[in-house]
Amino acid sequence: MFANRLLADRTIFLTGGGTGLGRSMALHFAELGARIFLFARREPPLRETAEEIRRRGGQAAYATGDVRHPEVVEAAVEAAWNAFGRVDTLVNNAAGNFLARTETLSANAFAAVVGIVLHGSFHCTQALGRRWIAAGTPGVVLNILTSYVETGSAYVVPSACAKAGVLAMTRSLAIEWAPYRIRFHAIAPGPFPTEGAWSRLMPTREFEERARNFHPLKRFGRHEELTHLAVYLLSPMAEYLNGECIILDGGLWLRGAGQFNALTELPAAVWQQLEAARKK
Ligand code: COA
């Protein structure tokens, strides 16, 4: 779909790239020639992803640390700069989430998720944005949100609040930093199976089956469906797109919205009866 080496002149700082969708994006970006700097808390998955990129002929480096701490983010951005000479692209992908009844949450549980998602995205965006502005060079920021970013969702209140905050930041900075040629994109993914998300957000097999059946396409997302969109957004083809959030969920959130959407379950025979009655 994309020209070989489409991202060849790019250096991408990607948070949380050791596992899940972050790993899939890192591998796809590297395959198209980008240099990848990964930043997350656990070393073994980062090492594995970086080794896999190098094994396939790409360039990758990483730093371990927690996005919640601005000084740690600053040091990681510095390390990325030293490793590759510059960074021109940021992907805020690191996240924290779990299912919980909100009345049972501790203050620290709320702070942990908001700290990773909202504060972490802010720290990374500011650390790179400051450098781009000082150097007078353009930049691209891609924020990975969630399909409930506009609606909120029961049982994931810290994540819903934090992701809504990142969307507000996306739209705000799209304008504020446009004069510096720094553009902002967001993808709001629906259900994409990953070990991290499934172990935290899919309580039982039966619930997974119900979720699949409720989906208009009767399936979950494939990682390449997200990574292709991410590549497009980072590429020069998307230079006129700024501050937009693309919901990538196969229509799942709309499925919950339309009053008569559940009628997709209505058997054809019932439709035929209704149509026959109308003709009488
Ligand atoms: N339900 C309710 N509270 C929870 C919880 C759960 N499932 N998991 C953690 N918490 C609470 C902890 O009890 C703690 O609060 P306390 O100090 O009042 O007891 C607080 O959250 C922080 O937990 P801790 O494990 O110390 O923090 P952490 O910073 O290491 O972990 C999380 C952050 C909680 C987001 C953890 O789930 C995590 O590391 N997630 C990373 C991966 C991830 O979530 N990816 C998203 C995939 S969709």
Side-chain angles (χ1 to χ4, degrees):
M1 178 169 174
F2 296 113
N4 241 348
R5 315 290 300 160
L6 178 68
L7 301 177
D9 60 342
R10 303 293 280 279
T11 305
I12 301 174
F13 187 96
L14 187 148
T15 64
T19 57
L21 290 171
R23 181 178 190 277
S24 298
M25 280 190 281
L27 292 174
H28 198 164
F29 298 157
E31 197 180 296
L32 292 167
R35 294 169 293 277
I36 310 291
F37 194 92
L38 305 165
F39 177 51
R41 276 185 293 173
R42 290 183 301 131
E43 212 253 344
L46 289 182
R47 189 184 340 113
E48 194 280 322
T49 304
E51 278 169 5
E52 182 62 22
I53 289 172
R54 290 188 206 117
R55 204 178 56 74
R56 298 181 188 188
Q59 292 183 65
Y62 62 85
T64 55
D66 194 324
V67 285
R68 285 174 281 194
H69 306 302
E71 67 289 351
V72 176
V73 168
E74 188 57 38
V77 167
E78 190 63 32
W81 225 274
N82 291 337
F84 293 121
R86 72 187 165 93
V87 174
D88 45 58
T89 304
L90 166 64
V91 180
N92 282 312
N93 164 74
N97 202 2
F98 50 75
L99 293 174
R101 290 175 296 170
T102 305
E103 66 274 26
T104 70
L105 283 178
S106 69
N108 201 30
F110 184 81
V113 173
V114 173
I116 296 168
V117 175
L118 180 54
H119 295 207
S121 300
F122 175 76
H123 299 324
C124 294
T125 305
Q126 198 189 40
L128 282 158
R130 278 176 173 160
R131 280 173 167 78
W132 294 333
I133 291 166
T137 54
V140 184
V141 178
L142 170 61
N143 293 324
I144 305 300
L145 305 176
T146 173
S147 55
Y148 53 79
V149 65
E150 296 272 17
T151 58
S153 174
Y155 305 111
V156 285
V157 164
S159 164
C161 295
K163 295 283 191 180
V166 180
L167 178 57
M169 183 173 73
T170 307
R171 290 171 172 162
S172 305
L173 288 178
I175 305 309
E176 188 176 332
W177 287 357
Y180 303 115
R181 294 177 299 147
I182 300 170
R183 70 178 203 263
F184 284 79
H185 303 294
I187 299 177
F192 281 79
T194 65
E195 212 282 310
W198 250 227
S199 63
R200 290 178 178 86
L201 306 177
M202 207 50 99
T204 62
R205 278 250 166 243
E206 190 208 347
F207 186 82
E208 180 176 346
E209 215 31 57
R210 276 177 51 192
R212 190 183 285 104
N213 275 328
F214 183 75
H215 197 287
L217 303 179
K218 308 287 182 215
R219 71 168 176 88
F220 301 126
R222 302 183 186 113
H223 282 215
E224 65 272 21
E225 290 172 325
L226 184 135
T227 65
H228 277 113
L229 176 59
V231 168
Y232 165 71
L233 292 175
L234 297 190
S235 78
M237 289 182 276
E239 270 175 14
Y240 203 57
L241 202 57
N242 189 22
E244 287 299 326
C245 172
I246 299 173
I247 298 184
L248 186 67
D249 72 346
L252 176 59
W253 86 275
L254 288 172
R255 166 71 172 86
Q259 188 181 347
F260 299 104
N261 284 351
L263 294 185
T264 52
E265 309 299 328
L266 207 62
V270 179
W271 279 117
Q272 281 153 11
Q273 279 171 19
L274 289 170
E275 284 151 12
R278 185 168 56 85
K279 283 177 195 143
K280 274 180 198 158

